[in-house]
Amino acid sequence: MNRDGQKRESELIKLISAEKLPRHVAIIMDGNGRWARKQGLPRIAGHREGMNTLKEIITCANELGINVVTLYAFSTENWKRPSWEVEFLMRLPEEYLKTELQPLIEKNIVIRAMGDLEQLPAVTKRAIKNALQATKDNTGMILNFALNYGGRNEILNAVKKIAERVQEGALKPEEISEDLFTRYLYTGDLPDPDLLIRPSGELRISNFLLWQLAYTELWFTRTLWPDFNKEHFLKAILDYQERERRFGGINKI
Ligand code: IPE
Ligand code: IPE
Ligand code: MG
């Protein structure tokens, strides 16, 4: 990065208030294909470049002291893509972790994965299992990858598990509260995201964290994920810190 960029970043960092940091940031990593097309490259080159963005943003989030980062890496709808692209995406966790697992371990980061993981190819499952195992005793930032994840699917799975408990007589319908339902989701033990970032210019949720985003602050940018950098991330956080979160109430009379 050039010196101007570094200067802008350090100026932005100074403006961030440590007390008002989002605890949980969710990111829809979108725009890899369009980035590649703009460069005249195949779509997979965009996915690979997106991995570099990922590294930069994880390092920054960790340095700031954010507790949880959830990253949308593959949706339940992404199986609709051509098989060569799906196959490439399914190999990315292995490729990413080959070089990144060790630095993540050293940063005390806990890797997690959520989604219908059973349906993933063996190579993907193996890489993830290894990363979960290697970081399970860490105590730092939680890095949560959404893989073969769909918000509706997650809600249905929770409903099925709750229905089974009711059928067994272990739970009464009147005991099903918002808190209880939340615990049956993949994110059961995590706070809801405070901030959702979506690059690439799309203004939609694309089946991500449907229940959890109820009161999340949304931040969109037209920048494509491979071009997204620390400066964008810091700007999103600063923007978040200026917002007034009311949760349906009123803050000032
Ligand atoms: C996001 O980039 C990566 C995944 C969905 C896996 P895209 O591949 O969706 O990129 P665009 O939206 O086609 O540019
Ligand atoms: C959302 O991006 C999924 C991920 C980033 C993993 P998509 O590219 O799949 O979303 P749509 O199709 O534009 O809504
Ligand atoms: Mg996309």
Side-chain angles (χ1 to χ4, degrees):
M1 196 210 320
N2 60 30
R3 288 194 37 191
D4 278 356
Q6 261 167 2
K7 191 158 169 264
R8 281 199 304 272
E9 279 176 12
S10 61
E11 292 298 316
L12 288 168
I13 288 178
K14 277 190 228 145
L15 297 172
I16 288 180
S17 140
E19 293 88 60
K20 279 170 72 182
L21 270 185
R23 278 197 300 166
H24 183 174
V25 178
I27 307 178
I28 302 179
M29 304 187 284
D30 195 21
N32 297 349
R34 277 164 282 174
W35 181 89
R37 197 171 60 212
K38 272 171 66 181
Q39 321 283 320
L41 296 168
R43 290 180 59 82
I44 56 172
H47 296 314
R48 192 162 271 136
E49 191 60 32
M51 273 203 314
N52 292 328
T53 303
L54 180 65
K55 291 176 202 167
E56 182 173 336
I57 299 311
I58 291 169
T59 304
C60 179
N62 188 47
E63 282 168 6
L64 285 174
I66 289 168
N67 301 127
V68 188
V69 176
T70 295
L71 297 151
Y72 206 4
F74 193 88
S75 77
T76 46
E77 288 72 36
N78 287 149
W79 297 105
K80 292 178 196 164
R81 297 185 178 204
S83 59
W84 51 265
E85 183 170 348
V86 170
E87 275 163 34
F88 181 85
L89 289 168
M90 288 299 155
R91 288 193 174 272
L92 271 192
E94 189 193 31
E95 187 177 326
Y96 169 74
L97 290 162
K98 205 181 286 169
T99 56
E100 288 312 295
L101 184 56
Q102 199 50 41
L104 293 172
I105 294 172
E106 281 158 23
K107 287 181 184 137
N108 196 22
I109 286 175
V110 184
I111 299 178
R112 290 218 209 164
M114 64 169 189
D116 192 350
L117 305 178
E118 271 312 303
Q119 302 307 316
L120 296 172
V123 56
T124 323
K125 273 197 272 200
R126 199 166 47 237
I128 293 164
K129 209 173 145 199
N130 180 34
L132 302 187
Q133 178 65 24
T135 61
K136 72 174 180 1
D137 296 325
N138 285 355
T139 53
M141 185 174 89
I142 295 175
L143 185 57
N144 186 25
F145 287 97
L147 271 165
N148 195 17
Y149 172 89
R152 289 187 172 179
N153 181 260
E154 178 185 36
I155 290 171
L156 278 186
N157 282 337
V159 169
K160 283 180 203 162
K161 280 190 235 147
I162 292 171
E164 277 168 22
R165 303 279 292 154
V166 172
Q167 206 169 32
E168 292 160 7
L171 189 68
K172 296 195 190 81
E174 57 271 26
E175 287 169 342
I176 305 171
S177 61
E178 288 190 11
D179 278 349
L180 179 129
F181 191 81
T182 298
R183 287 200 296 276
Y184 279 82
L185 298 172
Y186 296 127
T187 50
D189 61 337
L190 300 177
D192 285 341
D194 299 297
L195 172 64
L196 171 80
I197 298 174
R198 181 166 193 161
S200 93
E202 308 300 356
L203 304 179
R204 55 177 172 256
I205 300 303
S206 301
N207 203 13
F208 195 37
L209 301 170
L210 297 182
W211 172 276
Q212 297 89 333
L213 293 178
Y215 268 103
T216 301
E217 296 296 327
L218 310 177
W219 195 84
F220 297 100
T221 172
R222 283 185 195 278
T223 304
L224 305 169
W225 178 247
D227 287 329
F228 190 92
N229 59 28
K230 192 171 166 182
E231 202 178 317
H232 298 104
F233 188 65
L234 295 171
K235 279 186 180 154
I237 291 173
L238 277 172
D239 201 355
Y240 163 83
Q241 295 194 324
E242 279 166 18
R243 300 202 192 169
E244 190 185 51
R245 300 185 80 187
R246 288 187 293 272
F247 301 97
I250 48 173
N251 286 349
K252 297 184 203 91
I253 304 174

